[in-house]
Structure formats: structure tokens, C-alpha cells
Amino acid sequence: LKQNCDERYAECVKEIEIHFLNECLNNWNEYLAPEESAVGFDMLTEKWSPSELASALALKYHKDRASISKKILGAACLQKKVSSIKTIGIFYFRMAFGGVQRVISLQIPVFLKLGYRVVLFTEEQKGEYEFEVPEETERVILPSSFDIEMGEYFPHGRVLEEKLKEKKVDFLLYHAGSSDVLFYDLLITKMLGISFGIMLHEMFSQRIVSLDPSVAQKPDMFRLADKVLVLSSVEKRYWNTLGVEVEYIPNPIQPVQMARKERSYILWIGRFAAQQKRFEDAVHIMREVVEQLPEARMKMVGSEYTPNARTKLDRLIRKYHLEKNIEVLDYQKDVADLYAHAQVHLMTSAYETFPMTIIESKSYGVPLVTYEMPYVEMLKDGKGYVSVPQEDKKAAANAIILLLNDRERLEQLSKEAEESIKPWVEIDYGSILKKILD
């Protein structure tokens, strides 16, 4: 100590420790028989912390997450150690913008009302456009795991481990179902004896059509979770078939007091995301509408997701001389006035799961014109909307023209929209959550 040996050799000792960990991981992965893998993994947890193990796995075996998942399934170290849930952790990267964030902001008050303590884990500090959460919600900011190299995982994993223990979390509800680090966050959580649930805000099919390699990895990883929550009955059947512990649960809905106002425009609202939201289709549709109805107006509202999306959108509007017909607005947290004045809600999405924008437009009695998405639960009753084939811009434009020219039909769909949202508002979301947690 007099010669500061602890400081001089700490880094050297740490390197030796990492070397031994990697050596042991390699021996575990390469030489143990399949039936011994789970017990072997338990032995590793006796010598290294959850975040150290998870970080080493992230660095060495990120592309082999499915096979690693199979090897550790059934390990004693992944069994829950609490008999009842008192504190719920909720994770998502940020609380600003987006439907996921909106859902979380509605979920937290329900958990609190049920008597649970809630800790919100994010990777961004509170910002201007964050959705509000109750004051009693505790907040933890984690080092970023968004779009990182796997060798950079440890800072995130170490703080996650520390804070899960410090906050005495019993159940972590993970809203980032497509995160590259989900597997490692799951392992850390489960190795601490904490239950782990995944809330999926996506459709399985979107990954299949894009040939995403995670399609083959997710079933094995998700089998390690205590529960996977999905937003459609179709999604539930898919994951059930793959042996995942899954439940269908609708998004929470906040009733609105609708004040009828003069309705004067078409509303497109969402992220400016080219692949999913197809925001450019709205401009092409509006071009067709304006040929028949030169005075028609559209408001497009959202935040940029695809790089340079706003520039491309403005350029397209100018190209077709629609500057007087289309107004582009930045993201707005308070959207009530936008819906209250809208004649028609236009949705050009390639896919959705349980879109909050449809909930909102129905709540305000705004008829919807949408590309076909027959699996979306709230569209199954066929009320309050007109659907056209995917990417059929001409058909979408014609549907809008017909509605704007037929006040009686427009009013009928408006009433249907209001009526069709009522059963969803009446769902006892708290009882569904309590049953799952129990």
C-alpha cells in the first residue's frame, strides 16, 4: 500500500479477471454438454456479477444470442426470488415524443392506483416534450444503450444492476422490445431474481418482411422472460405458437371531453418515418384530392424520424405546388385542438399495432381513411372508417373526396367513431394488469 500497489496494479488485475471470465465463458459454451449448460451457467454466476457476465456475453456472443438463450434456459440463477411484487420498474429509452411514451404515461398512474411503487428507467433526462408522469414516480437515468457497439455495454449494464438493487425493483416491464441490449438487460434483471416482462409495440410481420435476423433470435430470448405483453390477438397466437409466455393487453385509453368545433381540414399525424408511416404518400394523396377539391386543406404533424424527412417532405410539397393546401407542423404534445378541428384523419402506415392516433381521432369523432390493417384490434368492428388497399393512393384520395362531398356520410362515420371507442374506454385496464402481475 505504501507503494500504491493497489492503484498501480488494479488495471492489470482487472485484465486478468476479464481474461479468466472469457476463458471460462468459452469453455462453458464450447465443451459442456447441452444438458449441463444451465448448471454450468449457474457456476459462472458464483464468481462474476450479473453485469460482468452480461457484458462479456454481449462482446463475445452477440450474434449467437439464440443459442446462448437455449443453453441457459432453466438455470437456477434466472428464477425469481420474490414472492410478491411491490415495486415495478419501467424501461424505455426516452419519455419524449411517440406512442410508446404516451402509453407509459398512461400506464404509470394505473400501477400507482393499484398500490405499486413505480421506478421509471430512461436514458435521457427530462426534456421539453416529455409526457407527464405522476410526481411520486421515481426516476433513474441509465447510460445510453441506444445504437452502441456491444463492447460499450458495460456502463449501462453496471448502472442498471446497481439501480435495480438500490430501488428494490421486483418486476421490470421493458418497453423496448427491439433493443439490441434487451437480452443482456433481461439477464441482469433475472440474475438478480427480479421478474422481467416485455411489452411489444410492434408486429412480428414487419421484421419478417424486412428479413431482420432478430426474427430467428427473439423466440429463444423471449422464452426467458416471465411474460411478453402484446397488442393484438394475432400477435398473441404467433408468440404462443413459438412457446413464449404471452398475454394480449390493449393500450390504456384516457377518456376525452370532446368539444365540437368547426372542422376544416384533413389531419395526418405521426412520426415522419418513411418505411412505416409513409408520410410522402399523404402528399401524393393530397395532390389527387386537390385536383377535385382545390380548397381542400391538410395539416401534417410530427417529429422527424427518417433522416432529412422534413426536407424531403417540404421539397415534395413544393414540387406539386401544394404550399397553400398542406401545412406542416412540428411535433405537439397537446393534440386535442388538432383533432377537434379535423374533418378526416388520414393514416398511410404500412403497419401498426395499437395506434394511439386512432384512439385519439375516434375519441374526437373524426372519421378515418386508412390503408388496410385488418389485424388492428380497434378496426375489427368496421366502424368509423374507410380502408383502402395498402399503397393505393388513388383509392385513398377518392375516399377522402367522397367524404368531403357527402356531409351525411361524414357525420355518420363521425358518430360511429365516437360510439366505437366507448367499449375500449370501459375496459378495466387496472384489473388486467393486476391479474398478470398476480
Side-chain angles (χ1 to χ4, degrees):
L1 286 176
K2 288 180 182 179
Q3 297 175 354
N4 295 320
C5 287
D6 55 335
E7 295 177 13
R8 288 170 57 195
Y9 299 118
E11 187 174 341
C12 180
V13 170
K14 189 64 182 176
E15 289 297 322
I16 294 171
E17 200 172 19
I18 292 171
H19 169 77
F20 283 140
L21 170 55
N22 288 329
E23 190 73 14
C24 289
L25 266 179
N26 183 70
N27 290 340
W28 168 76
N29 189 43
E30 295 292 335
Y31 302 122
L32 282 188
E35 64 271 17
E36 296 175 331
S37 291
V39 175
F41 191 76
D42 285 329
M43 294 173 66
L44 292 172
T45 64
E46 295 173 10
K47 302 298 180 183
W48 286 282
S49 72
S51 55
E52 287 172 330
L53 267 174
S55 299
L57 286 168
L59 184 61
K60 288 175 66 69
Y61 302 118
H62 184 63
K63 293 182 179 179
D64 299 322
R65 284 168 290 170
S67 62
I68 297 298
S69 298
K70 292 174 184 174
K71 287 175 179 286
I72 63 179
L73 185 65
C77 67
L78 301 180
Q79 305 307 308
K80 65 175 184 167
K81 298 179 176 65
V82 292
S83 56
S84 63
I85 295 171
K86 297 178 181 177
T87 300
I88 292 171
I90 294 178
F91 172 79
Y92 196 62
F93 305 110
R94 63 186 67 88
M95 276 300 290
F97 310 108
V100 176
Q101 295 89 326
R102 174 73 169 146
V103 170
I104 293 171
S105 74
L106 295 174
Q107 254 181 6
I108 290 176
V110 178
F111 282 126
L112 292 171
K113 188 176 179 181
L114 289 170
Y116 298 105
R117 177 170 154 257
V118 177
V119 182
L120 176 61
F121 293 80
T122 66
E123 297 176 0
E124 289 184 5
Q125 299 285 346
K126 186 173 182 179
E128 178 183 359
Y129 293 109
E130 278 208 351
F131 287 98
E132 297 297 326
V133 296
E135 288 185 6
E136 57 266 46
T137 307
E138 297 180 48
R139 185 76 173 261
V140 170
I141 308 298
L142 301 173
S144 179
S145 66
F146 190 77
D147 202 23
I148 62 169
E149 297 294 329
M150 287 304 107
E152 301 169 335
Y153 173 77
F154 182 69
H156 171 90
R158 178 178 55 80
V159 177
L160 176 65
E161 179 181 353
E162 290 174 357
K163 294 301 180 180
L164 286 171
K165 290 190 289 188
E166 177 188 315
K167 299 295 183 179
K168 296 181 170 58
V169 171
D170 302 311
F171 173 72
L172 181 63
L173 183 56
Y174 203 88
H175 281 263
S178 290
S179 170
D180 265 354
V181 305
L182 180 153
F183 178 57
Y184 312 109
D185 286 357
L186 180 155
L187 288 183
I188 288 172
T189 305
K190 297 277 288 179
M191 281 189 274
L192 292 173
I194 298 167
S195 297
F196 189 92
I198 302 168
M199 182 95 203
L200 286 182
H201 297 268
E202 60 188 55
M203 284 294 294
F204 66 88
S205 55
Q206 73 192 65
R207 303 291 169 186
I208 294 173
V209 297
S210 62
L211 302 180
D212 190 323
S214 69
V215 170
Q217 298 167 337
K218 281 184 176 180
D220 293 305
M221 292 191 293
F222 284 8
R223 287 188 199 106
L224 297 174
D226 294 284
K227 189 71 69 174
V228 175
L229 305 180
V230 296
L231 296 169
S232 76
S233 54
V234 172
E235 193 84 1
K236 179 179 178 179
R237 287 198 293 273
Y238 172 79
W239 291 109
N240 258 338
T241 302
L242 297 172
V244 175
E245 189 68 34
V246 63
E247 293 283 354
Y248 160 65
I249 182 171
N251 276 333
I253 296 175
Q254 188 176 47
V256 299
Q257 297 296 321
M258 190 201 72
R260 282 190 172 271
K261 298 182 180 180
E262 182 182 353
R263 298 179 183 264
S264 56
Y265 53 77
I266 302 154
L267 178 64
W268 186 101
I269 186 166
R271 298 190 311 277
F272 294 130
Q275 185 179 13
Q276 181 188 1
K277 303 296 184 179
R278 290 180 177 150
F279 62 90
E280 291 176 292
D281 281 21
V283 179
H284 294 291
I285 291 167
M286 195 59 182
R287 181 189 178 195
E288 300 271 359
V289 171
V290 169
E291 285 184 5
Q292 298 291 322
L293 303 171
E295 300 303 314
R297 299 287 182 270
M298 175 188 284
K299 289 191 178 185
M300 297 186 69
V301 187
S303 57
E304 186 170 83
Y305 184 82
T306 301
N308 301 315
R310 183 63 184 268
T311 301
K312 293 175 183 176
L313 180 59
D314 291 339
R315 187 184 300 135
L316 196 60
I317 291 170
R318 288 194 301 271
K319 177 180 177 180
Y320 295 123
H321 309 293
L322 295 171
E323 295 93 329
K324 293 182 179 179
N325 302 95
I326 299 178
E327 181 183 6
V328 182
L329 302 173
D330 292 331
Y331 168 84
Q332 297 183 31
K333 191 161 64 172
D334 186 359
V335 294
D337 204 53
L338 289 168
Y339 286 110
H341 287 286
Q343 291 172 294
V344 174
H345 174 206
L346 173 63
M347 179 169 277
T348 53
S349 297
Y351 53 86
E352 295 283 352
T353 48
F354 201 102
M356 299 301 281
T357 52
I358 292 182
I359 293 172
E360 291 163 349
S361 67
K362 279 180 174 286
S363 299
Y364 285 92
V366 184
L368 170 69
V369 173
T370 179
Y371 287 160
E372 288 177 341
M373 294 180 285
Y375 49 84
V376 173
E377 295 293 332
M378 69 185 71
L379 295 180
K380 288 183 176 180
D381 62 6
K383 294 181 179 179
Y385 72 94
V386 177
S387 66
V388 301
Q390 280 284 332
E391 299 187 76
D392 193 336
K393 296 181 277 291
K394 183 76 173 178
N398 287 338
I400 292 172
I401 292 166
L402 287 172
L403 285 177
L404 295 183
N405 282 331
D406 187 344
R407 187 170 294 276
E408 188 175 327
R409 175 63 173 156
L410 195 68
E411 186 62 28
Q412 177 194 346
L413 287 182
S414 176
K415 290 179 180 177
E416 284 184 10
E418 285 184 63
E419 289 298 316
S420 65
I421 198 66
K422 288 180 181 178
W424 296 96
V425 174
E426 293 167 0
I427 290 174
D428 189 345
Y429 189 74
S431 293
I432 296 173
L433 282 179
K434 187 71 169 63
K435 183 179 180 181
I436 291 170
L437 291 168
D438 287 347

